Amino acid sequence: MKRMQLSASILSADLGNINAVISDMEKAGLDMLHFDVMDGHFVPNITFGMPVLKAIHARTNLFLDVHLMISDPLKYVEQFVQIGANLVTFHLESESNPEQTIASIHRAGAKAGIVLKPSTSWKMVIPYLDQVEVVLLMTVEPGFGGQSFLWDMVQKVESLHTYIQSHGLSCQIEVDGGINDETLSHVLRAGAEILVMGSFLFRQPDLSASVKTIRKKAEILLFE
Ligand code: DX5
Ligand code: ZN
């Protein structure tokens, strides 16, 4: 049976209190810390970058899932791995050569993933499926936390999952944007394994309790 992995997006966390956020995440048993890098160019928003990731890496052993929403990711992926990224995902819509970018991430020692915006067909990723560990399907328009889930994306997850299964490939599907206790069951059933959660998780009064509830829900669902 597949296991759901939860990657918490700190974009919606209390960033002024990052030590407490990290220790709450560790206690809650989250699988990954999702780190959204935005450059104000590839997407209209600017978030945080290398010095912040470096500081987080120095404080935790949590698996660092770095989502690059930047132009020319090839230029930066090696550095992100050197400062602690365990998985680096970059957008197929960026101008970098996908093969070279994947190779650079692997050479530096991390897992590599390709991200698709909602409007990009899942078929565009087919040529790279045997090279990446993860395909991240955006379930909102990249740029901001707290947006509503795009329901059309459930079918996209399912189509990609069917393709991966029928071709004996092993890459995992990650979904990002608008994942909450309602949408989660739909993406899990469709074949997603890594679920990014931002605003939903960090507005819960008790992170550990809600992670427990989510896992229970997923277990029941994946057993059905
Ligand atoms: C959006 C980011 C997401 C975001 C998810 O561009 O890539 O990771 O933080 O946040 P929620 O879960 O609030 O949609
Ligand atoms: Zn993200």
Side-chain angles (χ1 to χ4, degrees):
M1 190 188 72
K2 278 189 177 176
R3 198 179 87 86
M4 171 191 69
Q5 286 172 283
L6 286 176
S7 189
S9 168
I10 58 160
L11 193 56
S12 305
D14 177 8
L15 293 172
N17 217 349
I18 193 72
N19 281 332
V21 170
I22 291 171
S23 77
D24 282 353
M25 286 180 57
E26 287 168 342
K27 276 184 223 140
L30 286 157
D31 302 288
M32 304 180 185
L33 183 154
H34 185 83
F35 190 82
D36 287 305
V37 183
M38 304 188 194
D39 65 355
H41 185 254
F42 182 76
V43 286
N45 197 9
I46 300 179
T47 54
F48 29 62
M50 291 175 200
V52 180
L53 186 70
K54 207 169 170 180
I56 290 173
H57 179 57
R59 279 166 181 73
T60 185
N61 289 321
L62 277 165
F63 185 99
L64 301 178
D65 164 23
V66 175
H67 175 193
L68 299 179
M69 285 160 276
I70 62 173
S71 299
D72 208 3
L74 176 57
K75 211 162 148 186
Y76 304 99
V77 287
E78 190 183 343
Q79 265 175 285
F80 273 105
V81 178
Q82 281 166 356
I83 60 167
N86 300 104
L87 163 67
V88 179
T89 61
F90 65 95
H91 277 262
L92 190 63
E93 302 87 359
S94 70
E95 54 282 83
S96 294
N97 175 284
E99 269 108 356
Q100 280 178 20
T101 310
I102 295 163
S104 174
I105 298 167
H106 284 157
R107 232 183 355 254
K111 292 183 174 178
I114 288 186
V115 194
L116 301 183
K117 287 183 181 181
S119 57
T120 304
S121 163
W122 66 270
K123 290 183 181 153
M124 300 295 285
V125 83
I126 291 176
Y128 314 106
L129 287 178
D130 59 349
Q131 297 163 50
V132 292
E133 285 76 26
V134 171
V135 175
L136 170 49
L137 296 181
M138 291 305 301
T139 41
V140 299
E141 225 29 83
F144 299 92
Q147 303 180 73
S148 301
F149 182 78
L150 297 170
W151 286 98
D152 291 355
M153 297 300 108
V154 175
Q155 182 56 55
K156 188 173 176 179
V157 173
E158 208 170 308
S159 304
L160 177 61
H161 181 245
T162 307
Y163 187 93
I164 289 172
Q165 294 275 43
S166 62
H167 288 76
L169 294 157
S170 61
C171 58
Q172 293 183 298
I173 300 178
E174 179 174 11
V175 286
D176 182 9
I179 306 297
N180 56 35
D181 57 349
E182 186 202 352
T183 53
L184 122 157
S185 48
H186 297 267
V187 288
L188 280 176
R189 264 196 217 108
E193 280 181 85
I194 306 171
L195 272 51
V196 177
M197 274 190 174
S199 52
F200 176 78
L201 269 190
F202 289 109
R203 72 167 175 259
Q204 303 300 319
D206 182 340
L207 189 65
S208 290
S210 77
V211 168
K212 229 176 250 168
T213 312
I214 290 167
R215 288 208 194 278
K216 206 162 273 166
K217 211 172 183 173
E219 251 168 57
I220 294 168
L221 206 110
L222 293 171
F223 258 120
E224 271 170 6

